[in-house]
């Protein structure tokens, strides 16, 4: 019994080993450990099966942020290999992966789907195989570490064209600026938008040409102004080309600027630095700007609107009528009452108090005594603090050896006391008894 168990176990192990030996094989290889930013990282994925594949395999894309994945011409080709004395057939795909930034970029595990023939049953066997994760390390040459934006290429050329602006423009005319940038040795996706600054919120030509000198007259200064332009950018066109394994491309940018106002404007220069991989040096390209002049539009006079004129005439006539009616009919009835109110105010203690404040501000001592006497006769006598301040003023002013600044200080104290007493008189409506008629016989 034990013998049969051992034989059965041996057969199962043999079948398992045969089955494992017949499983498809996935092989991933690369040509380099590190790669320069913008240069191709060669990654090969090879699939082998013991028979053949009736359908082409579905390879992973390996597309992740920060990587440009391209398949060159004839990137997928058939392969065969001898394994344990048998010929295995398969397919190999070569990827060109261009890192866009420095550092390590991880490509996560992805799936590869295949269909192959079973050698024993001759049936199609679908299978999804996990392609293990891999990492790509990108570096930058020491001399190019300070570049921003980072452009590493074998060659870079920019052609600039202008349309309009050579002669004086009128408001509404256009200036068209176009750039044709060609690059070799890397993808054109590394070229930044060069006209983006001109398409920002601020006008691209917002400063007048030159600075005013000291000899310019005021009239010349007033007439000079900065012309403004509205940018209308077109969508950039980016193309790529692969020739004998070397990537190249081009980027085209075009912006139309429409003049919005008259004056002088300067379109700025554009400077771009890039690293030449062949000479291992930083090179610089400068695109000259352009100075344009826009004629001032003629001043248009706003035509007089007949309805507006009629409206203002009606308003004027109505105002005159209202003033005349008020003067002719309302004022005669209101005048006696206004006079009575004025006389009542003049005879009030508050009016006498205001007069006292004016005399104190003028430092008129006699006038202050008269005004306070009137206020007392009208029912409001000066307070003890105010009388003490007036007495102190007299002593400081008329005693022997009095200081000059002493009287000024006392006047300030008197004005302060008067302001304090004014608060008690604001709502005081009592009139002086002096406003009443005297008795007919004062001797009785």
């Amino acid at each position: 019994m034990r013998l049969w168990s051992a034989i059965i176990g041996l057969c199962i192990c043999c079948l398992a080993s045969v089955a494992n030996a017949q499983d498809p094989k996935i092989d991933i290889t690369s040509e380099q450990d590190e790669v320069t930013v913008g240069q191709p990282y060669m990654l090969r994925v090879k699939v082998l099966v013991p028979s053949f594949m009736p359908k082409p395999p579905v390879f992973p894309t390996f597309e992740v942020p920060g990587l440009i994945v391209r398949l060159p011409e004839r990137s997928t080709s058939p392969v065969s290999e001898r394994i344990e004395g048998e010929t295995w057939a398969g397919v190999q795909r070569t990827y060109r992966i261009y890192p866009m930034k420095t550092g390590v970029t991880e490509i996560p595990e992805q799936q590869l789907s295949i269909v192959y023939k079973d050698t024993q049953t001759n049936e199609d066997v679908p299978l999804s195989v996990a392609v293990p994760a891999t990492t790509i390390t990108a570096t930058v040459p020491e001399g190019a570490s300070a570049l921003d934006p980072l452009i590493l290429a074998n060659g870079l050329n920019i052609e600039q064209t202008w349309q309009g602006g050579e002669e004086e423009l009128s408001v509404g005319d256009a200036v068209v600026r176009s750039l044709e940038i060609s690059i070799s040795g890397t993808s054109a996706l590394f070229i930044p938008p060069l006209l983006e600054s001109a398409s920002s919120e601020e006008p691209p030509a917002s400063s007048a040409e030159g600075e005013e000198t000291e000899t310019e007259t005021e009239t010349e200064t007033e007439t000079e102004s900065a012309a403004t332009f509205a940018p209308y950018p077109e969508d950039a066109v980016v193309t790529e080309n692969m020739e004998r394994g070397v990537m190249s491309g081009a980027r085209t940018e075009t912006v139309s600027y429409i003049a919005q106002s008259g004056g002088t404007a300067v379109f700025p220069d554009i400077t771009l630095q890039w690293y030449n991989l062949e000479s291992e040096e930083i090179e610089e390209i400068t695109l000259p700007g352009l100075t344009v002049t826009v004629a001032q539009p003629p001043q248009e006079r706003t035509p007089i609107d007949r309805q507006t004129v009629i409206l203002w005439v009606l308003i004027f006539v109505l105002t005159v009528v209202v003033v005349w009616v008020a003067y002719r009919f309302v004022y005669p009835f209101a005048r006696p009452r206004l006079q009575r109110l004025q006389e009542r105010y003049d005879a009030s203690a508050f009016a006498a108090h205001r007069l006292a404040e004016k005399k104190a501000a003028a430092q008129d001592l006699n006038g202050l005594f008269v005004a306070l006497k009137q206020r007392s006769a009208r029912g409001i006598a000066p307070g003890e603090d105010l009388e003490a301040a007036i007495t102190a003023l007299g002593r400081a002013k008329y005693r022997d050896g009095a200081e000059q600044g002493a009287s000024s200080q006392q006047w300030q104290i008197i004005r302060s006391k008067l302001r304090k007493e004014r608060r008690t008189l604001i709502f005081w409506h009592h009139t002086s008894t002096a406003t009443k008629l005297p008795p007919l016989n004062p001797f009785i």
Side-chain angles (χ1 to χ4, degrees), residues 85-251:
E86 296 183 358
T87 301
W88 287 47
V91 179
Q92 177 177 273
R93 172 164 288 185
T94 302
Y95 295 85
R96 289 180 176 267
I97 303 177
Y98 299 82
M100 302 186 71
K101 59 182 180 179
T102 59
V104 178
T105 303
E106 181 179 356
I107 301 177
E109 180 183 284
Q110 300 191 21
Q111 297 295 319
L112 187 151
S113 300
I114 61 173
V115 177
Y116 70 98
K117 285 290 185 180
D118 191 322
T119 56
Q120 296 181 358
T121 61
N122 200 30
E123 294 182 355
D124 292 345
V125 180
L127 183 64
S128 181
V129 182
V131 179
T134 184
T135 58
I136 297 177
T137 303
T139 61
V140 174
E142 184 177 354
S145 58
L147 284 180
D148 185 23
L150 185 60
I151 304 177
L152 311 176
N154 295 332
L156 182 66
N157 182 55
I158 304 178
E159 294 184 2
Q160 176 180 242
T161 58
W162 292 91
Q163 296 180 12
E166 295 83 2
E167 300 179 353
E168 187 178 55
L169 303 176
S170 300
V171 174
D173 290 346
V175 176
V176 182
R177 191 175 193 177
S178 301
L179 301 180
E180 180 72 27
I181 311 112
S182 57
I183 192 170
S184 61
T186 190
S187 172
L189 295 176
F190 287 91
I191 304 174
L194 299 182
L195 295 180
E196 188 176 30
S197 59
S199 301
S200 61
E201 295 179 359
E202 297 182 358
S206 58
S207 61
E209 180 183 9
E211 298 181 353
E212 296 177 353
T213 62
E214 297 181 356
T215 58
E216 289 179 330
T217 62
E218 294 181 358
T219 304
E220 293 173 340
T221 303
E222 292 176 355
T223 55
E224 289 187 358
S225 60
T228 56
F229 286 80
Y232 293 89
E234 299 180 7
D235 293 337
V237 179
V238 179
T239 58
E240 288 183 343
N241 185 29
M242 182 80 69
E243 185 176 355
R244 296 182 180 181
V246 179
M247 175 77 78
S248 62
R251 178 186 178 90

Side-chain angles (χ1 to χ4, degrees), residues 334-348:
R335 182 178 181 181
R337 180 172 178 80
L338 294 175
Q339 290 179 348
R340 288 194 299 270
L341 290 175
Q342 183 65 39
E343 293 173 356
R344 184 178 179 182
Y345 172 77
D346 294 340
S348 66

Side-chain angles (χ1 to χ4, degrees), residues 314-329:
L314 290 177
I315 293 175
F316 176 76
V317 172
L318 181 62
T319 304
V320 172
V321 171
V322 170
V323 172
W324 183 82
V325 170
Y327 180 78
R328 181 67 177 83
F329 298 101

Side-chain angles (χ1 to χ4, degrees), residues 2 32 109 140 142 174 231 276 295 300 309 369 407 426:
R2 292 179 179 177
Q32 66 268 57
E109 180 183 284
V140 174
E142 184 177 354
N276 193 324
E300 297 183 359
V309 174
F369 282 137
S407 60
I426 294 178

Side-chain angles (χ1 to χ4, degrees), residues 367-413:
L368 177 62
F369 282 137
V370 173
L372 290 178
K373 187 177 180 180
Q374 291 178 358
R375 201 187 82 169
S376 299
R378 296 171 186 178
I380 305 296
E384 295 180 358
D385 295 340
L386 179 58
E387 289 182 350
I390 295 174
T391 303
L393 173 63
R395 292 175 182 175
K397 187 173 182 181
Y398 297 110
R399 71 180 179 181
D400 296 336
E403 298 179 359
Q404 295 181 356
S407 60
S408 298
Q409 184 177 4
Q410 292 300 324
W411 277 115
Q412 293 179 359
I413 296 174

